[in-house]
Amino acid sequence: MCGIVGYVGSEQAAPILVDGLRRLEYRGYDSAGVAVREPNGIQIVRAVGKLRNLEKALEDKHLDGSVGIGHTRWATHGRPSKVNAHPHVAGPIAVVHNGIIENHLELRAELEAEGVQITSDTDTEIVSHLIHREVTAGHDLVTAVRRALEHVDGAYAIAVLSETDQERIIVAKSSSPLVLGVSEGASYCASDIPALLPYTNEMVFLEDGEVAVLEAGGFSISTLAGDPIHREAQKISWSPVMAEKAGYKHFMLKEIFEQPRALEDTLRGRLDRENADVSSSEIGLTEDDAKSIRRVILLACGTSHHATIAGKYWLEELARMPAITELASEFRGRDAVVGEGDLVIAVSQSGETIDTLMAAKEAKERGAKVLAIANVNGSAIPRMADASFYTHAGPEIGVASTKCFMAQLANLLMFSIWLGRRRGALSEGEAGELVEGLARIPHLIDERLKSTHETVAELARHYSGARDVLFLGRGLSYPMALEGALKLKEISYVHAEGYAAGEMKHGPIALLDAEVPVLVLAPQDRHYERVCSNLQEARAREAKIIGITTAGDLRAQSLCDAFVEVSPTVEALSPFVTVVPLQLYAYCVADHKGTDVDQPRNLAKTVTVE
Ligand code: F6R
């Protein structure tokens, strides 16, 4: 996690660095710092806490220079403190780092034995001393960085500045993300695209094992061994406005309201309504691939994992394809059975989650084919995959994922329809109904968003004091219940559990009393009758029932203390509409409690540590 940024050009560097850090703050926000190369040496300003503390510190200390690096931190090694905040300095060298140096203890002992004074608890400071050691031995900065990194095991994206070198920044990467940007007379680097969007949309993705030199006049890339690499910049289609709040109180609320647009963009050009199908050219796999798949393994973490559970249900039902879901962190290193004939679908908003990346790599090494579903073009998971089927939700800034989840659902459903058609499991009529229904979903969500927000805000005010909340659903509503509970937990810090409604009586029913709100997803699908029974079981324990019901379903509504209506859909499409009130519920409870909705405590948007 953590965000890094760098600038070389002719403008004042500090405001550009701080602006970039603001756009990266979702990656970590327990301390921040910048280093700027001034005529008389490198000046560093660091502050604990949110970026505004760094901005305050910069009001007192003006930095004057047009080359600099910056960092926003999510603590791994060493608690959040000024001394542990980046940039870290050794002699004339300043370094910012995202990732984890696995052998840092060993390297620390080695450096200390050589008499080096290490002042922080971080693994990053070790890197700055390693580079300094090489510079002291007479190597130029680029060679020093290369030689220093030979000693390092682990994940890193680093940016290095030296007061004795020319006006340039050296960057390198292994496993952690790093994108370079170029514009007339300036070069940039950042952990993620949105940090650079106000300055350029000409970007280059650095690959693992590469080093780049950024100068005002451009950049050059080489391998760690020093072999030059030619790579053209590519145009990124995201606009800076897409990464702004546009008048909403929080990014999360904006992103919930953007879901119809995110879905439309994700579906665009992919639904073949004439042939009741999904366009093959968009999926990334061939017709032959479709025939050779014997099993699908869906790998993901967190919210993306919840999307994959819906994906499994769709693949089984619509394509008659055996499918299993795996938490990527549990799949890794346990010697899971995977190999030829398996299609691994790695689902990740960021495309950088280390557990998903490494689990997919492991599966690929054992002979599985890997299809990536990711939202960030050119990110690590699509780059390692055999094929990619991107979601087009636009940049997601709120740490709690909403619109990307919605887009992941769309891609997983489209893939299931595509596979179902190729395997003869889905008739033209059935596929047609799904394709037409899916095309209407953005409108169905859009027409209810405002009124749902109002209803849910009222409910959230009423129930925001609850200590525990239960979310129940069956079938496709089960992963939505899991997602509703995760959203509430992460941004409002309320204890919440998502459960398969049928499992309630096997344990969680013991939690129920008059103080516990239970959100029951009760769309009118094949599980409806049984869900209504579960709802009554909870009611009999005096729990307060909030139903997510189909519009006009008076029967279910009469069993609830309160209800939210969703539009009727074909059964397979219900997750798209039922999850929206749950996202809004979490948002409204958090907003009512006054938590930091977009940057909840202890979390980070992109999880690049294991
Ligand atoms: C929760 C959330 C996380 C992510 C998880 C995986 O709202 O966003 O649970 O879903 O960290 O991230 P990606 O999808 O980037 O792999």
Side-chain angles (χ1 to χ4, degrees):
M1 338 246 258
C2 303
I4 69 173
V5 63
Y7 170 76
V8 197
S10 53
E11 310 276 319
Q12 284 294 329
I16 295 173
L17 297 173
V18 171
D19 184 52
L21 291 179
R22 188 173 305 109
R23 289 164 214 280
L24 291 176
E25 212 183 359
Y26 65 86
R27 298 177 67 88
Y29 30 81
D30 56 44
S31 55
V34 290
V36 169
R37 198 169 179 278
E38 292 191 341
N40 53 349
I42 291 177
Q43 294 296 324
I44 304 227
V45 178
R46 302 185 288 188
V48 178
K50 292 282 175 79
L51 194 61
R52 57 180 169 269
N53 297 349
L54 177 68
E55 288 176 282
K56 262 207 204 106
L58 283 166
E59 282 168 18
D60 299 335
K61 185 163 181 182
H62 174 72
L63 299 181
D64 182 19
S66 58
V67 185
I69 54 179
H71 187 269
T72 180
R73 179 168 188 248
W74 186 85
T76 53
H77 294 90
R79 65 186 180 85
S81 66
K82 198 161 167 179
V83 80
N84 286 334
H86 301 212
H88 285 285
V89 173
I93 306 294
V95 176
V96 290
H97 164 225
N98 167 31
I100 288 187
I101 308 300
E102 280 161 14
N103 58 339
H104 71 108
L105 288 177
E106 216 175 294
L107 294 169
R108 175 181 284 262
E110 185 183 313
L111 288 163
E112 281 174 341
E114 291 169 15
V116 173
Q117 293 275 332
I118 297 169
T119 52
S120 76
D121 305 319
T122 66
D123 49 347
T124 306
E125 190 185 341
I126 307 296
V127 179
S128 55
H129 288 291
L130 290 176
I131 298 170
H132 183 215
R133 184 169 74 179
E134 300 297 337
V135 168
T136 311
H139 298 290
D140 67 83
L141 186 61
V142 187
T143 311
V145 169
R146 283 202 183 102
R147 290 175 64 93
L149 291 175
E150 278 171 16
H151 299 272
V152 164
D153 294 333
Y156 58 79
I158 56 167
V160 184
L161 194 61
S162 166
E163 58 190 29
T164 50
D165 197 62
Q166 307 151 37
E167 296 242 307
R168 56 184 190 166
I169 296 169
I170 315 300
V171 298
K173 115 165 195 77
S174 177
S175 294
S176 300
L178 197 67
V179 57
L180 314 183
V182 267
S183 67
E184 189 70 39
S187 298
Y188 312 77
C189 68
S191 299
D192 204 353
I193 297 167
L196 305 184
L197 284 175
Y199 307 99
T200 181
N201 59 1
E202 296 280 338
M203 299 194 196
V204 176
F205 294 92
L206 207 64
E207 298 285 348
D208 286 351
E210 290 180 352
V211 178
V213 178
L214 308 186
E215 291 171 305
F219 65 88
S220 58
I221 304 178
S222 56
T223 63
L224 271 178
D227 301 322
I229 292 171
H230 177 74
R231 189 166 307 136
E232 293 288 337
Q234 46 178 293
K235 249 198 176 47
I236 301 296
S237 59
W238 293 355
S239 72
V241 179
M242 287 167 105
E244 302 290 349
K245 270 194 220 157
Y248 286 91
K249 187 169 176 190
H250 295 101
F251 278 112
M252 182 181 178
L253 187 61
K254 175 188 169 229
E255 287 160 1
I256 291 172
F257 272 77
E258 270 177 358
Q259 291 185 111
R261 203 266 315 135
L263 262 183
E264 256 164 19
D265 288 351
T266 297
L267 299 176
R268 185 166 300 119
R270 292 166 162 184
L271 295 180
D272 178 358
R273 296 171 78 167
E274 208 169 300
N275 297 305
D277 203 350
V278 171
S279 156
S280 277
S281 61
E282 288 289 319
I283 296 285
L285 297 180
T286 63
E287 308 276 327
D288 283 349
D289 289 333
K291 290 189 188 106
S292 66
I293 305 168
R294 287 201 295 276
R295 176 177 69 153
V296 172
I297 302 175
L298 296 134
L299 291 178
C301 300
T303 285
S304 301
H305 170 65
H306 299 154
T308 64
I309 301 175
K312 166 191 159 75
Y313 288 10
W314 283 322
L315 281 163
E316 286 177 345
E317 172 142 356
L318 308 178
R320 305 309 301 152
M321 170 57 74
I324 57 170
T325 60
E326 289 271 4
L327 287 165
S329 55
E330 285 296 312
F331 182 83
R332 290 183 63 190
R334 77 154 201 266
D335 208 9
V337 179
V338 57
E340 249 173 73
D342 285 328
L343 173 72
V344 163
I345 306 185
V347 181
S348 171
Q349 174 279 127
S350 59
E352 299 284 350
T353 299
I354 194 83
D355 281 322
T356 310
L357 174 66
M358 300 314 269
K361 269 188 182 160
E362 203 173 299
K364 190 174 174 179
E365 275 157 25
R366 295 186 187 195
K369 209 172 182 72
V370 177
L371 174 69
I373 292 185
N375 195 53
V376 180
N377 244 285
S379 51
I381 296 172
R383 286 206 308 271
M384 64 68 56
D386 298 292
S388 300
F389 183 26
Y390 282 105
T391 52
H392 295 308
E396 190 176 67
I397 310 293
V399 163
S401 181
T402 51
K403 63 175 181 172
C404 284
F405 176 72
M406 189 65 88
Q408 289 169 346
L409 290 177
N411 273 21
L412 287 163
L413 177 55
M414 283 192 279
F415 180 74
S416 306
I417 296 170
W418 178 82
L419 198 59
R421 292 291 280 139
R422 264 119 214 107
R423 286 170 58 84
L426 204 56
S427 71
E428 191 174 339
E430 290 163 329
E433 192 182 22
L434 289 170
V435 166
E436 290 304 319
L438 191 51
R440 274 196 304 275
I441 290 286
H443 170 68
L444 292 187
I445 297 174
D446 199 34
E447 66 180 3
R448 278 186 190 273
L449 258 172
K450 204 161 163 283
S451 61
T452 306
H453 186 203
E454 282 159 13
T455 312
V456 170
E458 202 47 49
L459 287 173
R461 259 194 294 280
H462 194 72
Y463 291 106
S464 63
R467 210 187 53 238
D468 306 292
V469 181
L470 218 57
F471 291 74
L472 300 178
R474 275 180 189 257
L476 284 164
S477 293
Y478 162 56
M480 301 308 112
L482 294 177
E483 177 57 7
L486 179 64
K487 288 281 94 81
L488 187 63
K489 269 187 270 215
E490 63 182 336
I491 60 168
S492 73
Y493 319 143
V494 172
H495 171 241
E497 297 287 346
Y499 253 94
E503 277 288 299
M504 184 184 64
K505 51 191 166 299
H506 299 290
I509 198 164
L511 285 174
L512 298 186
D513 61 26
E515 306 301 312
V516 179
V518 182
L519 279 88
V520 184
L521 286 87
Q524 287 172 316
D525 58 14
R526 76 189 80 169
H527 308 288
Y528 177 75
E529 290 300 335
R530 278 173 297 158
V531 169
C532 286
S533 305
N534 300 139
L535 195 155
Q536 276 166 316
E537 288 155 15
R539 210 170 128 88
R541 273 78 190 175
E542 297 185 353
K544 296 286 173 282
I545 311 294
I546 303 172
I548 310 299
T549 64
T550 306
D553 177 5
L554 302 182
R555 176 168 163 230
Q557 290 166 2
S558 71
L559 301 173
C560 301
D561 293 279
F563 60 85
V564 186
E565 293 196 322
V566 296
S567 300
T569 63
V570 180
E571 179 168 328
L573 303 177
S574 69
F576 293 96
V577 293
T578 55
V579 78
V580 178
L582 307 186
Q583 297 167 332
L584 282 167
Y585 185 79
Y587 172 78
C588 293
V589 172
D591 188 37
H592 187 66
K593 295 182 80 168
T595 62
D596 194 340
V597 172
D598 285 331
Q599 294 170 353
R601 68 183 180 207
N602 305 339
L603 293 175
K605 183 82 183 153
T606 308
V607 183
T608 50
V609 294
E610 297 169 55

